[in-house]
Amino acid sequence: MDYRLASAGGDMVAGLWVPDQPGMPTFWMVYFTTNDCDAAAKAIAKAGGTVHKQPADIPGTGRFAVVTDPQGAVFGLLQPLDAKGNAFDQKQQGHGNWHELMTTDPKAAMAFYGRQFGWKASTSMDMGEMGSYDLFGHNGTDIGGMMRLSPNMPGPQMPFWLPYFGADGIDAAVARITKAGGKVVNGPHDVPGGAFIVVATDPQGAMFALVGPK
């Protein structure tokens, strides 16, 4: 398997590979760290999720598994060998910055992830006809949001996690995306706190988002 690691600022932040399963769509899969991958996978299955890839070792990296929550959103578990991993850093460009879940049942999803990872519900923002956008935090810092999946939203019409990466400037990032063959599907537009976001797809169709200053 041709698996390639990507780094930013000296930190390993992502990996890319061509799946060996026919028909698998191109997408970004977010990983959440755990101190015990095997125990976490069992707990997720017991709570109504599904284990698609049983825990296994990645040489030099750690132990991982691929699972879904009870609503069907896919994500990965990672028990890293290096507990000081820095793939998610909201202050650095190119690192993970925000996790966004589109789901059929935000309330149930918030309860599920809270039990599994200790996340805490934070601010809830009224989005009108789209319902609410419910932030969640970890160790006192907001790290993502959840909202109800809508047929009008871009992306797959099934629950999914959308990763946000930090950008040095949204306008410059949009220019790089389009020049490289990607496509902007939503934004740019501002969000509370003074930042701007854009949702895009890469040339192979994988959806991702960026957040940063104008």
Side-chain angles (χ1 to χ4, degrees), residues 149-158 160 185 199 201 207:
L149 185 66
S150 167
N152 298 324
M153 292 179 180
Q157 293 304 304
M158 59 179 292
F160 70 98
V185 297
V199 179
T201 56
M207 181 172 288

Side-chain angles (χ1 to χ4, degrees), residues 34 36-51 67-68 70 75 77 112 115-117:
T34 175
D36 189 330
C37 185
D38 294 74
K42 290 179 181 178
I44 286 168
K46 186 176 181 179
T50 302
V51 179
V67 300
T68 65
F75 63 98
L77 296 171
F112 169 83
R115 290 192 299 269
Q116 303 307 318
F117 301 107

Side-chain angles (χ1 to χ4, degrees), residues 170-171 174 184-191 196-199 210 214:
I170 288 297
D171 289 339
V174 167
V184 173
V185 297
N186 191 9
H189 56 81
D190 59 337
V191 292
F196 287 78
I197 64 172
V198 62
V199 179
L210 300 175
K214 186 65 171 178

